[in-house]
Amino acid sequence: MLDLPWSEDGPVGRVKTPQHLFGMLEHMGMSPKKDDEYMRLPIALGYGVMVAGMTAASLVVSGDLTAWPAKWGDLVGAERAKKQVYHA
């Protein structure tokens, strides 16, 4: 899950990796944490996409969805969003 909050410097993100994926990621040479630290949103999104892609897991975006940059497109209105649960 990619958690979106605002910080003093703008939008940030934190990837929360489900426990059942830890073994798979460790086997691939990654050392995931239950809750990674907050990082700049583009970096967090890239990391979340990488983890989801490596594990064939869904990437869920949660938190303050106003932190999603409008220039990236409409997160909630995206076609895939109809099939996911988002929390504001």
Side-chain angles (χ1 to χ4, degrees):
M1 178 186 75
L2 176 61
D3 179 41
L4 302 177
W6 285 93
S7 76
E8 293 176 4
D9 297 324
V12 293
R14 176 175 64 179
V15 176
K16 296 182 178 185
T17 304
Q19 186 68 38
H20 69 276
L21 298 179
F22 278 33
M24 185 184 303
L25 290 168
E26 288 170 347
H27 181 71
M28 294 176 195
M30 294 183 67
S31 299
K33 301 175 193 169
K34 182 177 179 191
D35 293 335
D36 275 303
E37 66 273 6
Y38 286 103
M39 54 193 99
R40 291 182 53 221
L41 186 51
I43 303 300
L45 176 60
Y47 178 63
V49 168
M50 181 185 68
V51 169
M54 291 176 71
T55 60
S58 295
L59 177 61
V60 176
V61 179
S62 182
D64 185 348
L65 300 184
T66 67
W68 186 263
K71 66 183 177 184
W72 289 1
D74 185 4
L75 177 64
V76 176
E79 185 64 29
R80 179 89 172 130
K82 296 175 185 173
K83 300 175 185 173
Q84 297 292 339
V85 176
Y86 295 94
H87 303 278

